[in-house]
Amino acid sequence: MGKCAARMLDREHPRCVGYLCASSSQSANATGKKFKHPLIMNIHYISWPRLTRGCAMPRLTKKETRIKLRDALVAEVVENGISALNVAGIVTRAKVSAGTVYVHFENKDDMLRQVYMELKADFHSTITEKQDEMDSARLVRDMWFAMFDFVRTRPKDFLFLDYASAAKILSPEQQEITDKYAAEIAALLKRGVDDATLADLDTSLLSLLLVAPAMQLARSAVLSGQAIPETLIEQTFERVWLSIAK
């Protein structure tokens, strides 16, 4: 038992172990008692602040802290909804102080908007990475599988984008940016319609047919806690392609 505790401290606070053992010996001498597990005895005699005094504790960078806050916000929204979101829940999940939020964001609403815009930009750049592909069929396939790579690796981020978009949280300037993203996607799909690769459907309907299955699989992945199988992604695209191809 004592050895296990020592190993644990050695991993997390390597500079504390020597001090712990030395203090253990001194305490035993002072009391005149012998302990089978001096390490355990020492924990009773020395308070944690004294034990950790002088020990180097890892500190997160500003970027790492912001990522923790972002991930906590996303998880809170996906699990509880935007209407139930509060700073207390975010900082509890992120394991940071409440004041840390205001180092990075003005308030909860600013945090929502900034996180949404960051993730939206990531998502858009992911699915349009191969937009210069001239073969429309290959372009649509590349876009769809890029979207699913995002869904598979970041299902909560994907769902957060859907929930936040429906809540209409953006400023007019931010909304203009996201409208531009949508217009770029629509233009790529319109190219497929014009060259007779895709069915002659409105681009908003084509987009819906492409995205809806991804949304459903993302929800399933979050609820089950399991990754989306590659075979299921392939099968889903085959069925989606039948619905949008000319």
Side-chain angles (χ1 to χ4, degrees):
M1 181 69 174
K3 291 181 180 179
C4 292
R7 283 197 294 270
M8 178 185 71
L9 284 168
D10 187 53
R11 286 196 301 269
E12 298 193 10
H13 306 292
R15 293 174 56 189
C16 295
V17 176
Y19 175 77
L20 182 66
C21 294
S23 297
S24 174
S25 176
Q26 292 169 6
S27 297
N29 292 336
T31 60
K33 298 178 180 179
K34 294 183 179 180
F35 293 88
K36 184 176 181 180
H37 300 296
L39 184 62
I40 298 175
M41 176 281 301
N42 185 72
I43 293 174
H44 291 289
Y45 276 84
I46 301 175
S47 65
W48 187 247
R50 285 183 59 198
L51 176 62
T52 56
R53 188 179 302 148
C55 298
M57 302 293 286
R59 300 188 64 178
L60 297 176
T61 65
K62 189 172 182 179
K63 181 178 179 180
E64 290 170 335
T65 302
R66 185 184 175 93
I67 291 173
K68 283 191 70 175
L69 288 169
R70 183 195 71 190
D71 291 346
L73 170 72
V74 167
E76 285 289 308
V77 168
V78 170
E79 293 178 20
N80 304 314
I82 288 181
S83 61
L85 185 68
N86 57 70
V87 171
I90 296 169
V91 298
T92 298
R93 188 182 289 267
K95 295 181 174 59
V96 299
S97 66
T100 303
V101 171
Y102 302 103
V103 173
H104 299 270
F105 309 98
E106 292 180 9
N107 49 46
K108 181 188 71 176
D109 291 339
D110 177 56
M111 188 180 187
L112 266 171
R113 288 191 291 266
Q114 286 200 44
V115 169
Y116 178 86
M117 294 304 294
E118 289 172 10
L119 295 181
K120 188 69 172 180
D122 284 350
F123 179 68
H124 184 71
S125 64
T126 295
I127 63 176
T128 59
E129 183 179 2
K130 297 184 179 180
Q131 61 184 310
D132 293 332
E133 170 63 57
M134 299 308 297
D135 184 308
S136 293
R138 183 175 293 278
L139 171 64
V140 172
R141 181 182 176 86
D142 287 344
M143 288 172 59
W144 200 85
F145 277 92
M147 175 179 67
F148 254 97
D149 281 342
F150 189 97
V151 172
R152 183 174 52 214
T153 58
R154 302 165 65 177
K156 287 187 178 181
D157 288 350
F158 187 71
L159 289 179
F160 170 81
L161 288 173
D162 181 56
Y163 297 165
S165 177
K168 300 190 181 303
I169 61 173
L170 302 181
S171 68
E173 294 77 15
Q174 291 170 328
Q175 187 62 55
E176 186 177 344
I177 294 172
T178 61
D179 288 345
K180 182 181 177 182
Y181 291 157
E184 290 175 359
I185 299 297
L188 294 174
L189 295 176
K190 184 65 166 59
R191 187 202 304 174
V193 173
D194 291 343
D195 65 18
T197 298
L198 301 179
D200 189 11
L201 300 172
D202 186 88
T203 55
S204 61
L205 177 56
L206 289 171
S207 181
L208 177 63
L209 292 170
L210 287 165
V211 172
M215 191 65 64
Q216 184 58 43
L217 289 178
R219 288 194 182 98
S220 297
V222 170
L223 291 173
S224 67
Q226 297 181 6
I228 305 169
E230 188 70 33
T231 54
L232 181 57
I233 295 175
E234 291 279 356
Q235 291 169 359
T236 303
F237 179 75
E238 290 175 5
R239 303 309 300 178
V240 169
W241 182 252
L242 291 175
S243 70
I244 65 174
K246 185 75 171 181

